Amino acid sequence: MVDILLASYNGERFIREQLDSLLNQTEKGIRIIVRDDGSTDGTGNILEEYRLRHADKIELVGDRSASGSPARNFMELLKYSKSEYIMFCDQDDVWDPEKVHKMLVRMQAEEKRCRDGAEPILVFSDYEVVDANLKPLPIREDSLQVAKYYHTFNRLLVQNYVTGCTMMINRTAALLAGEYDSRMLMHDWWIALYVSAMGTVVHMPEKLMKYRQHGRNDVGATDVRSMKYRLKKLADRKVSRSKDTYYAQAELLKERYTDALPERIQRTLDEFLKIRTLAKPARMKALVAGGYLKSDLVRTMGQLFYI
């Protein structure tokens, strides 16, 4: 059985298409668990309609209090999942009919590779960037926010490469998630970080979903090479403070998992946390030496400038 965790909030415009794409999966051993985050539009009525029509597939979480963020909503959803495999689902995308099946096959192959069968594993796929009408957007793939995928722990400390709606985790990975903490930058980033530290992260290059961009996304695909994007980032004061959030998330990781981290990962984490105590030239040198870098040259230059 695969649990698909769907976090909804004011999604009446697109959520029917997404639910239909989940119900049309070729892998029939699925359960869709939905938690609405206090929607004020017609989302709740749509969800109830689908639950009544597909009671064997759809479960609505009774708690409809607002959590205030997608990260917290998804972390709350994890508490209701009991299956061996878990996927995360946004309300406005459309999944390929083979998505669950193909990812499950790859996940189970990875589990067979593990010697003890109890390793946390995360598998994630690619996506096609589309507009509100599901038409492909003219964004070059090498210009996307994540044009290259790095799975290593040092890279994940400063940038997330795993989009939540593309990922599947096994039960071991789910059990390690813990309670939500405001220091978690996003649920997908947090999960990718601790799985990379203690288990295996696997990238599947196949595009298995349409990633819809419509102007109201909490997080989305961005053309990071555009001048508009670069100027916006240079003017954004939050960017200059982002390093503090990276360190805060790393501190949380250290607090929760120190005893479980392999020695080399513990060493990498400790060296990263030391960087904030150094003078700026030494910080820049340590970031480069430790490989704590962003995915492309322009973003790395910005990182070193603000750090």
Side-chain angles (χ1 to χ4, degrees):
M1 177 70 76
V2 178
D3 281 346
I4 301 174
L5 309 184
L6 196 164
S8 65
Y9 176 70
N10 287 349
E12 64 178 1
R13 184 179 175 191
F14 302 118
I15 199 167
R16 288 181 184 275
E17 282 184 287
Q18 178 63 298
L19 287 169
D20 289 340
S21 77
L22 302 183
L23 292 166
N24 287 329
Q25 290 294 303
T26 58
E27 181 64 46
K28 299 306 178 186
I30 65 170
R31 177 175 57 166
I32 305 163
I33 307 176
V34 188
R35 183 182 184 277
D36 188 69
D37 204 29
S39 291
T40 56
D41 65 358
T43 301
N45 292 332
I46 295 171
L47 292 173
E48 182 61 19
E49 171 196 330
Y50 272 77
R51 185 193 69 80
L52 291 172
R53 284 165 45 197
H54 305 280
D56 59 326
K57 293 287 187 183
I58 298 177
E59 175 184 333
L60 302 185
V61 172
D63 173 19
R64 294 190 64 184
S65 59
S67 64
S69 72
R72 188 166 192 169
N73 198 356
F74 277 114
M75 293 298 289
E76 288 297 316
L77 268 166
L78 262 178
K79 298 176 182 179
Y80 295 88
S81 174
K82 306 299 180 186
S83 293
E84 288 301 307
Y85 307 103
I86 299 96
M87 301 178 77
F88 300 85
C89 179
D90 293 340
Q91 64 188 1
D92 44 13
D93 302 321
V94 172
W95 286 17
D96 183 276
E98 291 281 320
K99 179 181 177 182
V100 176
H101 176 72
K102 288 180 177 180
M103 297 194 73
L104 182 60
V105 168
R106 181 59 185 269
M107 171 65 79
Q108 292 177 334
E110 290 297 323
E111 287 186 319
K112 287 181 181 179
R113 180 192 55 76
C114 298
R115 285 174 293 179
D116 59 6
E119 181 179 326
I121 300 174
L122 184 160
V123 177
F124 71 106
S125 69
D126 270 1
Y127 52 76
E128 180 184 13
V129 183
V130 298
D131 65 15
N133 298 312
L134 301 180
K135 294 181 179 179
L137 283 172
I139 302 177
R140 287 173 44 188
E141 292 193 11
D142 62 357
S143 296
L144 289 172
Q145 201 157 5
V146 180
K148 295 180 181 179
Y149 293 99
Y150 294 97
H151 314 160
T152 53
F153 180 68
N154 56 344
R155 291 275 193 169
L156 282 164
L157 281 166
V158 296
Q159 183 178 345
N160 185 28
Y161 295 86
V162 181
T163 304
C165 55
T166 70
M167 62 194 269
M168 173 185 283
I169 59 175
N170 65 354
R171 189 79 206 142
T172 305
L175 291 172
L176 286 167
E179 290 288 331
Y180 172 78
D181 188 292
S182 60
R183 288 172 288 178
M184 297 174 184
L185 294 175
M186 275 298 286
H187 64 287
D188 48 14
W189 194 343
W190 172 248
I191 295 170
L193 190 57
Y194 71 69
V195 172
S196 73
M198 296 180 279
T200 299
V201 178
V202 178
H203 176 230
M204 295 174 61
E206 189 172 356
K207 295 177 181 178
L208 296 178
M209 59 171 284
K210 295 185 185 298
Y211 192 30
R212 195 190 316 246
Q213 304 300 294
H214 51 81
R216 295 182 63 187
N217 306 69
D218 283 296
V219 180
T222 305
D223 183 351
V224 298
R225 293 179 184 267
S226 69
M227 187 58 65
K228 179 181 178 181
Y229 174 85
R230 292 174 181 177
L231 290 174
K232 180 181 177 181
K233 286 296 182 181
L234 284 172
D236 189 350
R237 293 183 179 180
K238 290 182 180 179
V239 174
S240 65
R241 297 193 296 268
S242 62
K243 64 182 184 300
D244 299 323
T245 65
Y246 304 156
Y247 292 132
Q249 183 168 248
E251 281 282 8
L252 178 62
L253 192 81
K254 183 177 177 65
E255 288 174 15
R256 289 194 176 178
Y257 306 117
T258 291
D259 294 339
L261 296 176
E263 184 178 342
R264 64 178 181 81
I265 294 293
Q266 185 69 66
R267 193 161 52 245
T268 299
L269 180 59
D270 288 341
E271 289 300 320
F272 177 70
L273 290 170
K274 285 179 185 176
I275 291 174
R276 59 187 163 175
T277 67
L278 304 174
K280 185 166 184 175
R283 289 202 302 270
M284 296 171 69
K285 183 178 179 180
L287 284 168
V288 174
Y292 309 109
L293 302 173
K294 300 277 191 176
S295 60
D296 60 75
L297 179 60
V298 172
R299 300 186 81 188
T300 297
M301 291 174 63
Q303 174 191 5
L304 295 177
F305 174 78
Y306 279 122
I307 205 71

